[in-house]
Amino acid sequence: GRVPYQLLAGDRFNLAPGVLLMFALAACKDLACLPSLVRWQINAYTNWSLMLMGLGQLLGQDQWEPFLCTNGIGLVVGFRTAMSQGL
């Protein structure tokens, strides 16, 4: 179906807003002008996923849900594996 908000006309799954968010987070994570707490939060990949989920909900991007679900499962499995190995 048609996505409710589309940044680029040829972007069938409307990935551009998410990619732009990821670029912005990657660019800002080492900015000295940001408080250290903000830089620390931006460095956490889990928080990137939460921000991407928030942007998807804000823009009504339901087509992102399968990717975000798979990404979330990957994070849980990764953390579980790390914790079971004593990391």
Side-chain angles (χ1 to χ4, degrees):
R2 178 130 168 77
V3 295
Y5 171 81
Q6 195 164 22
L7 187 61
L8 301 173
D11 187 5
R12 196 170 107 205
F13 297 106
N14 200 28
L15 299 175
V19 170
L20 290 174
L21 175 64
M22 296 298 111
F23 280 143
L25 290 171
C28 293
K29 70 183 183 85
D30 294 321
L31 287 178
C33 63
L34 292 176
S36 61
L37 179 64
V38 172
R39 286 194 315 263
W40 181 71
Q41 290 293 331
I42 292 175
N43 260 325
Y45 181 69
T46 308
N47 290 341
W48 286 28
S49 296
L50 292 172
M51 290 178 207
L52 193 57
M53 286 180 208
L55 180 66
Q57 290 298 312
L58 181 70
L59 299 178
Q61 302 300 314
D62 293 334
Q63 75 278 7
W64 291 0
E65 297 294 324
F67 163 76
L68 292 172
C69 178
T70 304
N71 189 38
I73 290 170
L75 288 169
V76 167
V77 169
F79 279 120
R80 184 188 176 283
T81 302
M83 293 300 178
S84 71
Q85 298 297 316
L87 300 177

